[in-house]
Amino acid sequence: MLIAQNQENISGRAQDLAALEATVRDAVREQPVWDFHTHLYPPSFGTPFAGSGKASDPKGLMLWGIDELLTYHYLVAEVFRVVTPQQLSYDDFWRMTKREQADHIWKHLFLERSPISEACRGVLTTLQRLGLDPAERDLAGYRQWFDEQDPDRHIDRVMEISGVSRITMTNAVFDDNERLRWLENRHVGDDPRFAGVLRFDPLLRDWPAAAAQLVRWGYPVNKTLDDQTVEQARKFIRDWIDRVQALYCAVSLPPDFRYEGLEDPRTSSTVLRKIILPVLAERDLPFAMMIGSRLRVNPELRDGGDMVGLADVASVARICSDFPHNRFFCTMLARENQHELAVAARKFGNLMVFGCWWFVNNPSLIDEITRMRVELLGTSFIPQHSDARVLDQLIYKWDHSRDLIANVLADKYRDVAATGWRPSENEIRRDVRLFFHENMSNFLGTPTP
Ligand code: FIX
Ligand code: ZN
């Protein structure tokens, strides 16, 4: 009798745990996500591929379709590992058309070797979720399907499939192609599906060059950070926050970025202290620091030529401490920085950790980092952003990450349930809403749209 009762209890608990896991997976799969950081744009910024019969803009910023997916800079870097520059020079590759480059990558990374890297698998997940069959390996057929699509309606389709409710752009004001589009049409960003972010890396990475640009753009600044310079640079940031209607401002910073305190004489620390953070505090906007990218270690690979390096979390902690009236998003590129960064977030409520960025945006590291963050931070972080550069990438980047985040949360809710505290479905959906939307909107101080 006792054995039968025990078996019944065990079976009941197993069924309940299975139901709990199913609830978690449903909640994660169904929760719309506000994508914190992408390099995506609406059609108003032009597109080099407009589908059949439509006007394209060779320098357009809206990238979508199979040939852009296949020539993603991650795959360019990977293809040069198997067809080395000694076999095909960088110049010969870059002289190819986009379609020829895509053919080359398809041949060497998909047909002649199995597409098992995360970036390769992502192309296949995307095709599959769009209803195109990867088993057919029919690049011509995929191209024909994309040719028949309308870019604007394709955005709606991709957002629906990926469960992305809003796309946050990266509006790089020091990029001539983008800046001129804003100056020519101040409504270029008026697409409710997209939110603006002001990105100005050169202000911190290369002040002298940035200052020379500001002078050319009508902001009379000097290389020395005198009072006039500070005021004009602040005006520049205010003008562009307004033009872009920026939700936050952002920079990527090199691994050797350091901030040693309010007396730190470094130019980057002075620009941060005197120019950037006062404007953001005045405008009540957060500042996103993406730290650890050493740019163009192989310039021949262009966007694919950037490298990772170990960054300094103590500098971030000092910034959070010295500027308590500012709010900071932060992500780091090195796997080795993730634990210390999560611990720093335990020390500063004005620090919101986000995403598994770029070289740590891989299943094994997303699992490791997300598990560690839940254990240290509970529900108080933003687990992921897509960093998509090609619209269709939203589909695979979120598909893959949702599965991985669900794996972690299923384990964590099971561990809690084992204590007798059984989270309800509403509580689980509430938590997932925080992870995918409200931690961002609350930290931004914007009402949930
Ligand atoms: O600095 C950044 O925003 C990086 O995400 C990009 O520069 C990088 O090329 C990228 O797209 C990584 O996923
Ligand atoms: Zn990015």
Side-chain angles (χ1 to χ4, degrees):
M1 179 62 183
L2 190 58
I3 291 173
Q5 185 56 50
N6 277 344
Q7 279 168 342
E8 195 175 315
N9 291 345
I10 290 167
S11 158
R13 273 202 304 275
Q15 284 172 17
D16 185 48
L17 287 177
L20 178 63
E21 176 163 349
T23 299
V24 173
R25 293 190 183 283
D26 289 348
V28 171
R29 185 176 56 251
E30 294 162 10
Q31 174 59 45
V33 62
W34 183 354
D35 199 336
F36 178 83
H37 169 68
T38 80
H39 299 269
L40 301 180
Y41 295 86
S44 51
F45 285 85
T47 177
F49 166 58
S52 58
K54 295 184 182 62
S56 62
D57 169 353
K59 295 189 69 182
L61 293 173
M62 178 194 165
L63 304 182
W64 66 290
I66 184 64
D67 286 324
E68 293 293 352
L69 283 170
L70 287 171
T71 56
Y72 185 31
H73 70 68
Y74 290 30
L75 294 174
V76 172
E78 289 177 34
V79 80
F80 268 106
R81 293 200 47 69
V82 300
V83 180
T84 64
Q86 291 69 31
Q87 296 165 295
L88 171 74
S89 75
Y90 292 112
D91 287 346
D92 286 345
F93 176 81
W94 294 117
R95 268 194 287 271
M96 289 178 181
T97 64
K98 177 72 73 176
R99 178 161 291 202
E100 287 165 344
Q101 292 169 8
D103 286 340
H104 176 71
I105 289 169
W106 180 255
K107 174 173 186 281
H108 291 288
L109 293 186
F110 287 76
L111 301 183
E112 295 194 356
R113 294 164 180 249
S114 297
I116 56 174
S117 77
E118 181 63 5
C120 282
R121 176 173 75 110
V123 174
L124 303 182
T125 300
T126 298
L127 292 172
Q128 183 185 42
R129 295 292 312 280
L130 283 169
L132 303 167
D133 185 357
E136 291 173 5
R137 307 188 182 190
D138 178 10
L139 181 52
Y142 306 146
R143 280 179 171 139
Q144 184 179 336
W145 184 85
F146 278 101
D147 262 348
E148 293 158 4
Q149 307 313 312
D150 169 76
D152 196 57
R153 284 198 298 274
H154 192 56
I155 293 172
D156 295 327
R157 174 193 292 117
V158 168
M159 291 177 77
E160 173 71 26
I161 293 171
S162 59
V164 169
S165 56
R166 202 162 190 221
I167 297 170
T168 307
M169 295 187 278
T170 296
N171 302 115
V173 61
F174 282 87
D175 171 72
D176 288 338
N177 184 6
E178 168 150 12
R179 190 179 67 262
L180 293 173
R181 290 174 191 270
W182 285 100
L183 294 175
E184 283 159 9
N185 171 11
R186 72 176 300 118
H187 299 295
V188 70
D190 289 358
D191 185 317
R193 299 168 294 188
F194 291 80
V197 165
L198 183 60
R199 177 76 176 260
F200 43 58
D201 297 9
L203 287 182
L204 288 177
R205 280 184 182 259
D206 186 357
W207 168 254
Q213 291 278 59
L214 264 59
V215 171
R216 274 195 286 277
W217 298 337
Y219 300 90
V221 299
N222 305 307
K223 283 184 183 170
T224 56
L225 293 163
D226 54 39
D227 292 349
Q228 175 190 308
T229 294
V230 168
E231 260 325 297
Q232 283 298 316
R234 288 182 181 183
K235 181 179 184 312
F236 165 74
I237 294 176
R238 290 190 192 101
D239 289 352
W240 278 93
I241 283 173
D242 294 341
R243 182 170 284 116
V244 163
Q245 293 182 12
L247 289 172
Y248 61 87
C249 290
V251 291
S252 84
L253 293 167
D256 45 11
F257 168 76
R258 295 291 181 273
Y259 171 82
E260 299 291 340
L262 291 168
E263 304 307 317
D264 184 346
R266 290 179 179 83
T267 300
S268 57
S269 298
T270 309
V271 170
L272 200 58
R273 183 176 72 250
K274 288 190 171 182
I275 297 171
I276 295 172
L277 295 183
V279 172
L280 291 177
E282 163 200 307
R283 292 298 186 92
D284 191 27
L285 291 179
F287 185 46
M289 298 181 286
M290 305 168 71
I291 312 176
S293 53
R294 195 182 311 287
L295 302 182
R296 301 302 189 265
V297 295
N298 178 357
E300 301 272 17
L301 286 172
R302 298 183 183 177
D303 283 341
D306 301 341
M307 176 68 182
V308 57
L310 194 63
D312 181 54
V313 177
S315 291
V316 173
R318 277 192 283 272
I319 289 169
C320 294
S321 175
D322 284 356
F323 301 94
H325 303 301
N326 287 86
R327 298 190 305 284
F328 301 94
F329 293 109
C330 186
T331 197
M332 288 190 168
L333 194 48
R335 175 193 189 189
E336 297 76 7
N337 281 133
Q338 303 303 330
H339 179 257
E340 189 181 357
L341 180 60
V343 173
R346 288 170 60 90
K347 308 305 154 197
F348 296 99
N350 60 337
L351 174 59
M352 177 65 77
V353 169
F354 75 91
C356 298
W357 182 29
W358 200 344
F359 299 116
V360 293
N361 192 4
N362 296 316
S364 58
L365 297 179
I366 295 169
D367 183 83
E368 174 185 279
I369 293 167
T370 306
R371 208 170 284 276
M372 179 263 294
R373 286 172 174 172
V374 169
E375 291 157 1
L376 284 169
L377 303 173
T379 58
S380 65
F381 66 98
I382 298 171
Q384 189 57 297
H385 64 278
S386 70
D387 227 325
R389 283 180 171 268
V390 180
L391 171 71
D392 310 83
Q393 291 174 338
L394 289 177
I395 293 174
Y396 89 81
K397 287 183 183 264
W398 282 108
D399 232 32
H400 295 179
S401 288
R402 286 179 193 267
D403 283 349
L404 294 156
I405 293 166
N407 292 344
V408 173
L409 293 181
D411 289 350
K412 296 305 174 185
Y413 284 116
R414 187 194 59 237
D415 293 348
V416 167
T419 70
W421 179 297
R422 199 347 181 130
S424 71
E425 176 170 353
N426 284 343
E427 289 168 335
I428 291 168
R429 287 183 179 273
R430 170 206 60 198
D431 300 342
V432 173
R433 212 163 35 247
L434 285 168
F435 279 127
F436 280 5
H437 193 124
E438 290 172 1
N439 282 345
M440 176 176 172
S441 58
N442 293 341
F443 204 72
L444 287 171
T446 53
T448 298

